[in-house]
């Protein structure tokens, strides 16, 4: 697990731009391209990291470290895991005019991860076996706002396991 790694995903960003340009009725081939690129991409997930600090001031990710992935709650109460498409987007989020400081909070430390890892967290149950209450994943919140509901993640996961 790497913290604040430099990540670039030009093909994913291009697919996201196509979907946004499609508007309310995305082209199925654009959606398929987006899901394919998303599955291949290394993304950045905001994380709260409690870890020891080395002499250089870097957090040490080891068995003692605790990593928590905060969720973003929308005005309608829906909760989302957050992912950023690339390092440039994280930097844009940090600079965004945000009077409540939400973007700065979500873009402090980011952990590099693949979409299937985040999907696994989204689909996991709570310790009591109940649904975790997270509606889905949002990519580049307050910027492109690509929302992937849990139902779509489940469907994509089922299709991949059939392959």
């Amino acid at each position: 697990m790497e913290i604040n790694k430099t990540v670039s995903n030009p093909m994913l960003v291009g697919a996201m731009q196509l979907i946004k340009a499609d508007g309310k009725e995305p082209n199925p081939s654009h959606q398929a391209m987006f899901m394919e690129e998303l599955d291949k991409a290394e993304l950045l997930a905001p994380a709260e990291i409690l870890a020891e600090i080395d002499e250089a001031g870097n957090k040490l990710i080891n068995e003692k470290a605790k990593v928590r992935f905060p969720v973003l709650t929308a005005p309608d109460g829906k909760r989302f895991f957050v992912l950023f498409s690339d390092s440039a987007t994280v930097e844009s989020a940090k600079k965004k005019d945000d009077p409540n400081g939400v973007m700065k909070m979500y873009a402090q430390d980011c952990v590099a991860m693949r979409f299937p890892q985040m999907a696994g967290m989204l689909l996991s149950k709570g310790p009591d076996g109940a649904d975790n209450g997270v509606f889905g994943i949002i990519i580049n919140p307050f910027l492109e706002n690509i929302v992937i509901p849990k139902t779509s993640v489940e469907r994509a996961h089922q299709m991949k396991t059939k392959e």
Side-chain angles (χ1 to χ4, degrees):
M1 179 182 313
E2 290 186 61
I3 303 173
N4 301 326
K5 177 180 179 180
T6 300
V7 170
S8 176
N9 294 300
M11 294 298 290
L12 174 64
V13 171
M16 289 170 54
Q17 290 170 348
L18 286 173
I19 286 176
K20 288 307 257 185
D22 287 342
K24 295 208 183 267
E25 295 190 31
N27 180 317
S29 66
H30 293 167
Q31 286 179 313
M33 180 190 316
F34 168 72
M35 290 307 290
E36 182 179 319
E37 292 302 323
L38 186 60
D39 198 47
K40 292 189 282 187
E42 187 169 42
L43 303 156
L44 296 169
E48 293 176 15
I49 303 167
L50 299 173
E52 295 174 4
I53 308 292
D54 67 14
E55 299 81 33
N58 300 312
K59 292 180 181 180
L60 299 173
I61 301 299
N62 55 31
E63 64 279 348
K64 295 179 187 176
K66 294 182 182 178
V67 180
R68 184 177 93 70
F69 296 94
V71 294
L72 178 64
T73 303
D76 64 2
K78 290 179 182 168
R79 299 172 62 221
F80 298 89
F81 281 123
V82 176
L83 289 172
F84 289 103
S85 58
D86 53 33
S87 299
T89 305
V90 171
E91 291 308 311
S92 292
K94 287 179 182 178
K95 294 174 186 169
K96 186 144 176 71
D97 183 26
D98 174 17
N100 298 321
V102 173
M103 286 310 299
K104 286 178 181 57
M105 178 181 76
Y106 278 94
Q108 279 305 318
D109 283 327
C110 290
V111 174
M113 68 182 344
R114 301 241 177 240
F115 183 75
Q117 292 172 295
M118 181 58 77
M121 290 173 32
L122 176 66
L123 300 175
S124 68
K125 301 290 183 190
D128 60 355
D131 184 86
N132 62 22
V134 179
F135 179 80
I137 294 170
I138 187 165
I139 301 175
N140 299 344
F142 306 110
L143 300 163
E144 287 86 8
N145 284 321
I146 303 288
V147 172
I148 307 171
K150 186 183 287 190
T151 54
S152 296
V153 173
E154 287 172 324
R155 196 169 35 252
H157 178 70
Q158 289 170 350
M159 289 175 62
K160 269 197 98 51
T161 56
K162 287 180 183 179
E163 291 177 357

